[in-house]
Amino acid sequence: CHRLKLVIEVDGEIHSEPEVQEHDEGRTGEMERFGIQILRFTNNEVRNEKDKVVRKIKEFLLRQP
């Protein structure tokens, strides 16, 4: 969401690999320097815990001015 400077990322299993995590952390740091916030969810959460995913997104949105 460009207006809120929000990125929602859905990560597959490869994101549990140390080198991928390191890359993700670096990219997150770059985005945060521009005021962009990232909400990350796993594929499993999106497939099997939709209510939890929606609740976390709503909680984020309610905290915005």
Side-chain angles (χ1 to χ4, degrees):
C1 177
H2 189 264
R3 184 174 58 84
L4 295 176
K5 292 187 174 184
L6 170 65
V7 170
I8 297 174
E9 186 167 322
V10 180
D11 292 338
E13 286 188 33
I14 195 162
H15 289 267
S16 63
E17 299 290 328
E19 46 294 335
V20 176
Q21 287 179 348
E22 186 177 324
H23 175 75
D24 284 348
E25 289 172 13
R27 196 180 64 213
T28 296
E30 285 293 315
M31 286 194 256
E32 287 175 343
R33 282 188 215 121
F34 291 101
I36 299 169
Q37 297 182 56
I38 302 173
L39 293 180
R40 277 198 166 83
F41 301 99
T42 65
N43 286 344
N44 186 55
E45 287 174 310
V46 172
R47 280 190 219 120
N48 302 312
E49 302 177 53
K50 291 176 187 79
D51 292 340
K52 174 185 166 186
V53 171
V54 170
R55 185 179 69 250
K56 286 185 175 187
I57 295 169
K58 283 182 179 180
E59 288 170 357
F60 171 85
L61 294 173
L62 290 172
R63 291 192 309 266
Q64 302 313 300

